[in-house]
Amino acid sequence: MEEKQSISEDSDPHSPLIELAWFSLVSSCIKILLIPSYRSTDFEVHRNWLAITHSLSLPNWYFDTTSPWTLDYPPFFAYFEFFLSLFASLIDPIIVELQEGLNYEANSVVFFQRMTVIVSDFFLHYAIYQITRKLDPEKRRFIWVLVIWSPALLIVDHMHFQYNGLLLGLLIMSISALEEGKDLLGGFIFAILLCFKHLFAVAAPVYFVYLLRHYCCGGLVRGFWRILTMGTVVMAVFAVAFGPFLYHGQIQQVIHRMFPFGRGLCHAYWAPNFWVFYILFDKILAFLLRKVGFKTQRAGASFTGGLVGDSSPFSVLPQITPLVTFTMVLLTMLPCLFKAWKDPQPRKIIRWIAYAYTCGFVFGWHVHEKASLHFVIPLAIVSMNDGNEASHYFMLSTVSCYSLFPLLFEAREYPVRVLLLLLHSILMWYGFSSRFSGPVVLSASKPSRKRNAESTSERTWATVSEDSRFGIGWIGMSYLLGLVVVEIWGQFLHPLFLKDKLPFLPLLLISVYCAMGVFCSWIWQLTWIIMSP
């Protein structure tokens, strides 16, 4: 009887897996249409990595300098590139040639690499299914809209070119395991993720504190055994990843490639974070002091060293080193770590991890604007729990997506990026408004502060509490209108009035203005963590 019931559920045309297949199909069709679109230097970076891992023996992977785009990801990503290179060599052998393949742009390599990203995205699709499969259908579908149809992922992975879908899929799988109480599995998957891309290590303190308190406690003997088990599993993952390079005596070279601290404080396009304000304030102070007769040092080195560079120079304010940024990230993360230590609740782990990545983005060293995906995608999963979180996510997602616009600077991509953001914003507004803008509950039945802080999902579509309705208010609306003003200036008015003068001004305006929104999101998340029981 139970077997028949399970069969009927699997054959249900509205079952989650069939719905997921439709979402994935629509997403894949859009991505295929974007195959001829703009490709950044990251496209050649990954093609070169295919050539390195296919043409050279493993001991030479992290020493090759044939191209300036040297291999600088952890070993699991190198193994992943080697796996892809086996198929690339069958499609077009030039793709995996070190010398002849430099800057290769034939249709074969474009189609092959684009398709590898599309296929690898199914890791993310499955992960989102896994973490939302027990939610009510309406809520689950809308989260899929936010993640699987994310315009930011389309811009970064399927136009600019990267593999964030694969990596974020591993992150969501790990979080899903933790939420289900499968701590050992969650730690195992996170270790794998770190061996794919080490920048995800920003959340490692949260994982360490949470797993230590939630998995490794329970008496001296049991706690010791679990610490030993978790440590063995994690070390086994790192041994598989780094063992071959340790065997060849090259671990120092691998670490050197992975952590090139000679790069500047900011990326070539300043990510919208705290350091935008710091650099701008330094330049304004230097200008004002020179005006009143003081002599200030003129910065000679670069803030934005991409390949190699000096430490970030400042004229007036104290110099910033990687150690300073690391300390700031860790200090701002302390409230989250304290909460995870005091009361390690599985249902809060996704917000703690998202907050950790937000801290890394806001205060980290040489942050790429694309790193906003590390917290925007996880926060999409909890955005439907509460009207306040929906309002926060609407603003954050819009600002984050707009901050990626400079990645696509060619005129032919302009309508695509604008339409993607507009469609995304309209869908978000419709979904959040439908769920959190119904009739207001009478004050007598308003949820308690504790229940509201926990962002429970027990409210119906028709009824919400007065303090949990979706809305961005006049301040939020004014801020979003400001994005329109910034865009009009950068695209139309700046070329008209200033022509070739101050070419970096439009990018500076986008960075500074979007940094305001991201910084407000960090404050919102910090407040939520401090106020939640």
XYZ file of all heavy atoms in Angstrom, residues 259-346:
704
model
N 46.916 32.409 -2.325
C 46.822 33.615 -1.488
C 47.825 34.664 -1.959
O 48.836 34.910 -1.300
C 47.068 33.265 -0.022
C 46.063 32.306 0.552
C 46.346 30.953 0.631
C 44.835 32.765 1.005
C 45.415 30.058 1.156
C 43.902 31.882 1.531
C 44.189 30.529 1.601
N 47.544 35.321 -3.087
C 48.461 36.357 -3.608
C 48.208 37.695 -2.925
O 47.586 38.599 -3.489
C 48.088 36.405 -5.096
C 46.639 36.051 -5.128
C 46.406 35.092 -3.978
N 48.705 37.849 -1.699
C 48.425 39.062 -0.933
C 49.127 40.296 -1.505
O 48.944 41.397 -0.996
C 48.816 38.864 0.533
C 47.852 37.998 1.283
C 48.279 36.840 1.909
C 46.512 38.326 1.349
C 47.390 36.035 2.605
C 45.611 37.529 2.041
C 46.052 36.379 2.667
N 49.946 40.120 -2.545
C 50.538 41.280 -3.183
C 49.532 42.102 -3.956
O 49.825 43.214 -4.378
N 48.326 41.587 -4.151
C 47.292 42.341 -4.847
C 46.801 43.486 -3.973
O 46.952 43.469 -2.758
C 46.128 41.424 -5.217
C 46.515 40.356 -6.230
C 45.346 39.468 -6.579
N 45.719 38.483 -7.600
C 44.872 37.578 -8.096
N 43.627 37.520 -7.664
N 45.279 36.725 -9.020
N 46.185 44.471 -4.608
C 45.747 45.657 -3.893
C 44.549 45.409 -3.001
O 43.932 44.344 -3.028
N 44.221 46.421 -2.211
C 43.085 46.325 -1.289
C 41.781 46.093 -2.042
O 40.921 45.340 -1.591
C 42.995 47.612 -0.462
C 41.781 47.765 0.455
C 41.787 46.695 1.538
C 41.753 49.156 1.072
N 41.630 46.739 -3.184
C 40.392 46.628 -3.970
C 40.670 46.007 -5.327
O 41.788 46.058 -5.837
C 39.756 48.004 -4.168
S 39.178 48.756 -2.643
N 39.630 45.440 -5.902
C 39.694 44.902 -7.245
C 39.668 46.064 -8.236
O 39.422 47.215 -7.873
C 38.496 43.963 -7.472
C 38.593 43.167 -8.727
N 37.626 43.187 -9.704
C 39.551 42.328 -9.183
C 37.969 42.387 -10.690
N 39.127 41.855 -10.396
N 39.932 45.767 -9.525
C 39.973 46.814 -10.539
C 38.687 47.636 -10.557
O 38.721 48.864 -10.670
C 40.235 46.192 -11.906
N 37.540 46.959 -10.485
C 36.282 47.675 -10.246
C 35.983 47.521 -8.765
O 35.798 46.423 -8.269
C 35.160 47.085 -11.103
C 33.768 47.392 -10.581
C 33.386 48.700 -10.293
C 32.836 46.380 -10.357
C 32.132 48.991 -9.800
C 31.577 46.656 -9.869
C 31.238 47.962 -9.591
O 29.992 48.247 -9.092
N 35.971 48.640 -8.055
C 35.817 48.590 -6.607
C 34.507 47.920 -6.216
O 33.427 48.391 -6.576
C 35.848 50.003 -6.023
C 37.145 50.713 -6.229
C 38.285 50.196 -6.786
C 37.437 52.076 -5.896
N 39.274 51.145 -6.824
C 38.785 52.304 -6.287
C 36.716 53.104 -5.314
C 39.400 53.540 -6.101
C 37.334 54.330 -5.128
C 38.666 54.546 -5.520
N 34.608 46.837 -5.482
C 33.402 46.185 -4.971
C 32.701 47.144 -4.007
O 33.352 47.904 -3.295
C 33.772 44.888 -4.258
N 31.369 47.133 -3.976
C 30.631 48.065 -3.115
C 30.704 47.663 -1.650
O 29.780 47.068 -1.099
C 29.205 47.980 -3.660
C 29.097 46.618 -4.245
C 30.465 46.299 -4.796
N 31.814 47.992 -1.001
C 31.974 47.633 0.409
C 32.547 48.807 1.209
O 32.644 49.935 0.715
C 32.842 46.381 0.552
C 34.247 46.573 0.014
O 34.674 47.683 -0.304
N 34.989 45.490 -0.102
N 32.949 48.547 2.440
C 33.406 49.592 3.347
C 34.614 50.347 2.819
O 34.749 51.564 3.025
C 33.736 48.954 4.707
C 34.390 49.890 5.677
C 33.640 50.820 6.382
C 35.765 49.839 5.886
C 34.253 51.696 7.283
C 36.377 50.701 6.786
C 35.622 51.632 7.485
N 35.515 49.653 2.120
C 36.760 50.279 1.695
C 36.556 51.317 0.610
O 37.434 52.162 0.390
C 37.749 49.200 1.257
C 38.014 48.226 2.367
C 37.727 46.893 2.394
C 38.583 48.530 3.648
N 38.062 46.340 3.583
C 38.600 47.313 4.394
C 39.064 49.690 4.245
C 39.093 47.257 5.687
C 39.546 49.618 5.542
C 39.561 48.417 6.239
N 35.431 51.292 -0.074
C 35.111 52.371 -1.013
C 35.028 53.698 -0.269
O 35.583 54.719 -0.710
C 33.780 52.072 -1.730
C 33.304 53.283 -2.518
C 33.937 50.877 -2.662
N 34.350 53.701 0.885
C 34.230 54.924 1.679
C 35.599 55.342 2.237
O 35.915 56.533 2.285
C 33.251 54.715 2.838
C 31.878 54.264 2.406
C 31.316 53.114 2.935
C 31.156 54.976 1.464
C 30.058 52.697 2.549
C 29.899 54.570 1.074
C 29.351 53.426 1.610
N 36.384 54.369 2.646
C 37.691 54.650 3.241
C 38.614 55.313 2.222
O 39.266 56.326 2.507
C 38.300 53.348 3.758
C 39.517 53.516 4.634
C 39.374 53.733 6.001
C 40.800 53.443 4.102
C 40.492 53.878 6.823
C 41.919 53.595 4.903
C 41.760 53.807 6.264
O 42.862 53.952 7.070
N 38.675 54.743 1.032
C 39.531 55.297 -0.018
C 39.040 56.672 -0.433
O 39.838 57.618 -0.603
C 39.551 54.349 -1.243
C 40.200 53.019 -0.873
C 40.282 54.990 -2.405
C 40.079 51.963 -1.953
N 37.740 56.806 -0.596
C 37.178 58.085 -1.008
C 37.439 59.163 0.043
O 37.799 60.305 -0.291
C 35.673 57.933 -1.247
C 34.962 59.095 -1.944
C 35.545 59.324 -3.327
C 33.468 58.820 -2.034
N 37.283 58.815 1.312
C 37.532 59.774 2.387
C 38.998 60.188 2.410
O 39.331 61.361 2.643
C 37.125 59.149 3.723
C 37.178 60.097 4.885
C 36.554 61.329 4.829
C 37.868 59.746 6.045
C 36.597 62.208 5.905
C 37.921 60.615 7.119
C 37.291 61.855 7.051
N 39.902 59.237 2.150
C 41.327 59.550 2.101
C 41.626 60.545 0.981
O 42.383 61.507 1.184
C 42.132 58.271 1.898
C 43.622 58.530 1.772
O 44.281 58.737 2.812
O 44.132 58.535 0.633
N 41.040 60.350 -0.165
C 41.286 61.237 -1.302
C 40.700 62.632 -1.042
O 41.303 63.647 -1.411
C 40.701 60.633 -2.579
C 41.434 59.386 -3.055
C 40.897 58.880 -4.362
C 41.708 57.684 -4.855
N 43.111 58.025 -5.153
N 39.525 62.702 -0.435
C 38.917 63.995 -0.128
C 39.756 64.745 0.900
O 40.006 65.953 0.763
C 37.474 63.799 0.380
C 36.588 63.277 -0.751
C 36.901 65.112 0.914
C 35.195 62.894 -0.314
N 40.216 64.038 1.948
C 41.063 64.671 2.962
C 42.354 65.201 2.347
O 42.785 66.333 2.649
C 41.395 63.664 4.063
C 40.356 63.441 5.160
C 40.854 62.392 6.143
C 40.050 64.743 5.897
N 42.975 64.394 1.512
C 44.220 64.817 0.880
C 43.999 66.059 0.017
O 44.811 66.995 0.028
C 44.794 63.682 0.037
N 42.910 66.075 -0.719
C 42.603 67.228 -1.581
C 42.383 68.488 -0.744
O 42.924 69.558 -1.052
C 41.355 66.919 -2.411
C 40.857 68.081 -3.215
C 41.477 68.429 -4.409
C 39.761 68.841 -2.786
C 41.019 69.507 -5.152
C 39.301 69.912 -3.526
C 39.936 70.244 -4.705
N 41.616 68.381 0.350
C 41.323 69.550 1.189
C 42.580 70.053 1.890
O 42.807 71.267 2.000
C 40.248 69.186 2.226
C 38.852 68.876 1.662
C 37.915 68.451 2.782
C 38.288 70.088 0.914
N 43.425 69.136 2.365
C 44.655 69.547 3.033
C 45.604 70.256 2.074
O 46.288 71.227 2.463
C 45.346 68.327 3.659
C 44.640 67.720 4.885
C 45.330 66.430 5.312
C 44.633 68.715 6.047
N 45.677 69.782 0.845
C 46.528 70.460 -0.135
C 45.992 71.855 -0.457
O 46.752 72.782 -0.712
C 46.639 69.611 -1.405
C 47.587 68.416 -1.268
C 47.932 67.818 -2.609
N 46.783 67.171 -3.221
C 46.504 65.875 -3.098
N 47.298 65.106 -2.348
N 45.448 65.360 -3.684
N 44.668 71.994 -0.443
C 44.057 73.285 -0.732
C 44.402 74.333 0.323
O 44.518 75.528 0.013
C 42.540 73.131 -0.833
C 42.039 72.538 -2.139
C 42.304 73.488 -3.302
C 41.741 72.943 -4.603
N 42.008 73.861 -5.752
N 44.550 73.896 1.563
C 44.835 74.848 2.638
C 46.328 74.951 2.926
O 46.739 75.585 3.907
C 44.076 74.468 3.929
C 42.583 74.537 3.709
C 44.497 73.085 4.430
N 47.153 74.335 2.097
C 48.589 74.537 2.199
C 49.393 73.402 2.773
O 50.624 73.477 2.817
N 48.756 72.343 3.228
C 49.496 71.205 3.772
C 50.036 70.342 2.632
O 49.419 70.216 1.574
C 48.608 70.361 4.679
C 48.292 71.007 5.986
C 47.131 71.760 6.144
C 49.155 70.873 7.071
C 46.838 72.363 7.350
C 48.868 71.472 8.283
C 47.708 72.229 8.421
N 51.199 69.758 2.862
C 51.768 68.834 1.898
C 51.378 67.406 2.274
O 51.641 66.970 3.395
C 53.290 68.956 1.855
C 53.777 70.273 1.275
C 55.293 70.293 1.184
C 55.784 71.600 0.578
N 57.263 71.627 0.470
N 50.776 66.731 1.364
C 50.388 65.336 1.600
C 51.043 64.459 0.564
O 51.290 64.869 -0.572
C 48.863 65.169 1.522
O 48.403 65.551 0.220
C 48.165 66.017 2.579
N 51.291 63.237 0.963
C 51.915 62.283 0.047
C 50.938 61.904 -1.045
O 49.785 61.563 -0.780
C 52.348 61.033 0.814
C 52.956 59.955 -0.061
C 53.290 58.713 0.732
O 53.061 58.662 1.941
N 53.814 57.704 0.049
N 51.387 61.966 -2.264
C 50.545 61.531 -3.383
C 50.748 60.034 -3.592
O 51.875 59.560 -3.709
C 50.898 62.289 -4.666
C 50.548 63.768 -4.594
C 50.799 64.453 -5.921
N 50.451 65.856 -5.865
C 49.231 66.343 -6.118
N 48.259 65.513 -6.447
N 48.990 67.636 -6.037
N 49.626 59.317 -3.616
C 49.700 57.856 -3.734
C 50.371 57.478 -5.034
O 49.990 57.945 -6.105
C 48.301 57.256 -3.665
N 51.390 56.618 -4.936
C 52.105 56.219 -6.138
C 51.782 54.807 -6.578
O 51.946 54.451 -7.731
N 51.329 53.972 -5.668
C 51.009 52.586 -6.012
C 49.528 52.460 -6.288
O 48.781 53.413 -6.198
C 51.438 51.661 -4.875
N 49.104 51.255 -6.585
C 47.727 51.050 -7.049
C 46.856 50.458 -5.961
O 47.292 49.599 -5.206
C 47.723 50.122 -8.263
O 46.410 49.780 -8.614
N 45.609 50.947 -5.928
C 44.613 50.339 -5.045
C 44.097 49.030 -5.630
O 43.479 48.237 -4.948
C 43.412 51.279 -4.874
C 43.695 52.450 -4.001
C 43.933 53.699 -4.547
C 43.720 52.319 -2.626
C 44.188 54.787 -3.744
C 43.972 53.406 -1.810
C 44.211 54.650 -2.373
N 44.320 48.835 -6.918
C 43.561 47.800 -7.625
C 44.458 46.807 -8.340
O 44.123 46.341 -9.417
C 42.628 48.456 -8.654
O 43.429 49.198 -9.586
C 41.636 49.376 -7.992
N 45.617 46.501 -7.791
C 46.478 45.539 -8.450
C 45.766 44.231 -8.690
O 45.354 43.577 -7.761
N 45.635 43.816 -9.949
C 44.882 42.621 -10.272
C 45.756 41.392 -10.345
O 45.445 40.352 -9.791
N 46.896 41.507 -11.045
C 47.794 40.367 -11.140
C 48.784 40.387 -9.973
O 48.834 39.491 -9.162
C 48.551 40.417 -12.477
C 47.664 40.247 -13.712
C 48.473 40.477 -14.975
C 47.042 38.867 -13.734
N 49.580 41.433 -9.902
C 50.440 41.657 -8.742
C 50.456 43.143 -8.473
O 50.263 43.958 -9.355
C 51.890 41.166 -8.974
C 52.031 39.698 -8.787
C 52.398 41.596 -10.327
N 50.718 43.515 -7.235
C 50.723 44.929 -6.906
C 51.280 45.149 -5.524
O 51.661 44.239 -4.819
N 51.349 46.409 -5.141
C 51.840 46.769 -3.823
C 50.683 46.863 -2.855
O 49.529 46.876 -3.240
C 52.572 48.110 -3.888
C 53.727 48.071 -4.875
O 54.439 47.053 -4.888
O 53.905 49.053 -5.629
N 51.028 46.975 -1.572
C 49.997 47.187 -0.581
C 49.287 48.504 -0.888
O 49.883 49.436 -1.418
C 50.615 47.229 0.817
O 51.180 45.983 1.132
N 48.030 48.580 -0.546
C 47.216 49.717 -0.928
C 47.744 51.010 -0.320
O 47.940 51.103 0.883
C 45.778 49.483 -0.478
O 45.285 48.331 -1.089
N 47.999 52.040 -1.137
C 48.573 53.284 -0.656
C 47.494 54.278 -0.245
O 46.444 54.358 -0.866
C 49.333 53.799 -1.882
C 48.506 53.309 -3.036
C 47.863 52.018 -2.604
N 47.788 55.067 0.773
C 46.883 56.132 1.200
C 47.715 57.388 1.443
O 48.874 57.314 1.856
C 46.131 55.731 2.465
C 45.161 54.603 2.248
C 45.543 53.297 2.481
C 43.875 54.848 1.798
C 44.660 52.249 2.263
C 42.989 53.812 1.587
C 43.383 52.505 1.810
N 47.103 58.513 1.213
C 47.795 59.781 1.390
C 47.725 60.282 2.820
O 48.678 60.875 3.328
C 47.207 60.829 0.439
O 47.356 60.442 -0.900
N 46.596 60.108 3.496
C 46.379 60.654 4.829
C 46.059 59.562 5.836
O 46.681 59.486 6.905
C 45.245 61.708 4.808
C 45.026 62.277 6.204
C 45.561 62.820 3.815
N 45.089 58.735 5.531
C 44.633 57.716 6.469
C 45.656 56.593 6.614
O 46.500 56.398 5.732
C 43.289 57.152 6.001
C 42.132 58.156 5.935
C 40.880 57.469 5.407
C 41.872 58.790 7.294
N 45.600 55.833 7.714
C 46.546 54.722 7.927
C 46.474 53.686 6.810
O 45.410 53.435 6.234
C 46.091 54.127 9.266
C 45.347 55.223 9.946
C 44.695 56.020 8.866
N 47.615 53.086 6.509
C 47.673 52.050 5.491
C 46.897 50.814 5.950
O 46.845 50.498 7.138
C 49.130 51.664 5.209
C 50.002 52.819 4.785
C 49.571 53.437 3.469
O 49.140 52.721 2.571
N 49.668 54.744 3.362
N 46.293 50.119 5.001
C 45.517 48.915 5.282
C 46.276 47.704 4.755
O 46.705 47.678 3.600
C 44.124 48.995 4.631
C 43.361 50.213 5.147
C 43.339 47.720 4.901
C 43.114 50.208 6.641
N 46.437 46.704 5.605
C 47.122 45.473 5.233
C 46.125 44.308 5.271
O 45.041 44.430 5.843
C 48.271 45.175 6.207
O 47.713 44.934 7.517
C 49.232 46.358 6.283
N 46.480 43.178 4.670
C 45.585 42.012 4.758
C 45.253 41.617 6.190
O 44.142 41.177 6.469
C 46.377 40.921 4.035
C 47.238 41.665 3.067
C 47.610 42.940 3.758
N 46.214 41.783 7.112
C 45.976 41.430 8.512
C 44.883 42.323 9.117
O 44.054 41.847 9.903
C 47.268 41.557 9.316
C 47.165 41.220 10.814
C 46.692 39.790 11.002
C 48.498 41.461 11.514
N 44.877 43.597 8.749
C 43.855 44.517 9.251
C 42.477 44.075 8.784
O 41.520 44.020 9.576
C 44.143 45.958 8.788
C 42.965 46.874 9.119
C 45.416 46.484 9.436
N 42.352 43.741 7.503
C 41.047 43.328 6.982
C 40.606 42.004 7.599
O 39.431 41.822 7.903
C 41.088 43.199 5.451
O 42.052 42.207 5.070
C 41.465 44.524 4.807
N 41.550 41.080 7.782
C 41.221 39.803 8.404
C 40.700 40.013 9.822
O 39.710 39.400 10.239
C 42.462 38.896 8.426
C 42.268 37.611 9.175
C 41.635 36.536 8.579
C 42.720 37.483 10.485
C 41.450 35.345 9.278
C 42.542 36.303 11.181
C 41.907 35.228 10.578
N 41.346 40.904 10.556
C 40.931 41.186 11.929
C 39.538 41.808 11.961
O 38.703 41.451 12.800
C 41.941 42.123 12.604
O 43.246 41.529 12.555
C 41.555 42.385 14.050
N 39.271 42.739 11.038
C 37.963 43.395 10.997
C 36.856 42.399 10.661
O 35.773 42.431 11.243
C 37.982 44.540 9.999
C 38.827 45.722 10.434
S 38.703 47.135 9.313
C 36.993 47.608 9.546
N 37.130 41.506 9.719
C 36.133 40.491 9.358
C 35.825 39.613 10.557
O 34.653 39.328 10.873
C 36.627 39.640 8.171
C 35.711 38.443 7.956
C 36.705 40.476 6.907
N 36.857 39.190 11.267
C 36.661 38.305 12.419
C 35.937 39.026 13.556
O 35.044 38.456 14.197
C 38.012 37.782 12.902
C 37.980 36.558 13.828
C 37.269 35.388 13.153
C 39.388 36.150 14.228
N 36.293 40.280 13.802
C 35.648 41.035 14.878
C 34.166 41.272 14.585
O 33.319 41.145 15.480
C 36.359 42.377 15.079
C 37.736 42.326 15.749
C 38.365 43.706 15.791
C 37.633 41.756 17.165
N 33.845 41.624 13.359
C 32.439 41.863 13.015
C 31.630 40.575 13.021
O 30.404 40.612 13.141
C 32.327 42.530 11.628
O 33.036 41.750 10.652
C 32.897 43.940 11.650
N 32.322 39.449 12.928
C 31.648 38.158 12.938
C 31.370 37.648 14.357
O 30.615 36.678 14.542
C 32.511 37.127 12.193
C 31.733 36.053 11.450
S 32.867 34.838 10.712
C 33.681 35.870 9.496
N 31.960 38.279 15.371
C 31.876 37.791 16.744
C 30.446 37.633 17.269
O 30.151 36.634 17.937
C 32.681 38.699 17.677
C 34.203 38.544 17.614
C 34.881 39.513 18.563
C 34.611 37.109 17.929
N 29.523 38.598 17.033
C 28.151 38.385 17.521
C 27.526 37.104 16.988
O 26.818 36.399 17.701
C 27.404 39.626 17.017
C 28.462 40.659 16.839
C 29.679 39.923 16.398
N 27.806 36.814 15.724
C 27.294 35.591 15.109
C 27.915 34.361 15.762
O 27.222 33.382 16.065
C 27.603 35.637 13.620
S 27.337 34.109 12.737
N 29.214 34.390 16.003
C 29.896 33.258 16.622
C 29.410 33.052 18.058
O 29.279 31.915 18.527
C 31.409 33.485 16.601
C 32.054 33.628 15.222
C 33.549 33.879 15.347
C 31.787 32.408 14.359
N 29.156 34.152 18.756
C 28.645 34.054 20.122
C 27.282 33.374 20.146
O 27.019 32.506 20.997
C 28.551 35.446 20.733
C 27.919 35.466 22.099
C 28.634 35.069 23.220
C 26.602 35.855 22.263
C 28.048 35.064 24.475
C 26.008 35.866 23.509
C 26.729 35.467 24.623
N 26.406 33.750 19.211
C 25.081 33.138 19.133
C 25.195 31.650 18.797
O 24.474 30.808 19.360
C 24.237 33.849 18.083
C 23.800 35.246 18.470
C 22.669 35.199 19.477
C 22.143 36.590 19.772
N 20.952 36.577 20.653
N 26.088 31.318 17.862
C 26.264 29.916 17.476
C 26.810 29.095 18.641
O 26.480 27.909 18.789
C 27.201 29.819 16.275
N 27.644 29.703 19.480
C 28.186 28.994 20.640
C 27.139 28.848 21.745
O 26.994 27.782 22.343
C 29.405 29.746 21.169
C 29.994 29.133 22.407
C 29.710 29.435 23.703
C 30.960 28.075 22.451
N 30.435 28.646 24.556
C 31.221 27.802 23.816
C 31.638 27.346 21.478
C 32.129 26.832 24.223
C 32.542 26.376 21.884
C 32.774 26.131 23.228
N 26.399 29.925 21.979
C 25.434 29.921 23.068
C 24.258 28.995 22.790
O 23.824 28.238 23.674
C 24.930 31.345 23.306
C 23.941 31.471 24.455
C 23.474 32.909 24.602
C 22.431 33.026 25.718
N 21.933 34.431 25.848
N 23.741 29.046 21.585
C 22.541 28.246 21.258
C 22.600 27.829 19.792
O 22.023 28.490 18.923
C 21.279 29.068 21.530
C 20.016 28.233 21.387
O 20.123 26.994 21.342
O 18.916 28.835 21.327
N 23.299 26.739 19.474
C 23.484 26.319 18.077
C 22.210 25.710 17.470
O 22.014 24.496 17.486
C 24.602 25.279 18.175
C 24.486 24.727 19.557
C 24.007 25.856 20.424
N 21.362 26.567 16.943
C 20.090 26.130 16.379
C 20.244 25.878 14.874
O 20.648 26.780 14.135
C 19.012 27.181 16.609
C 18.780 27.533 18.069
C 17.742 28.617 18.229
O 16.738 28.653 17.524
N 17.978 29.528 19.162
N 19.913 24.689 14.390
C 20.052 24.387 12.959
C 19.274 25.332 12.055
O 19.729 25.658 10.957
C 19.518 22.952 12.848
C 19.715 22.373 14.212
C 19.502 23.503 15.164
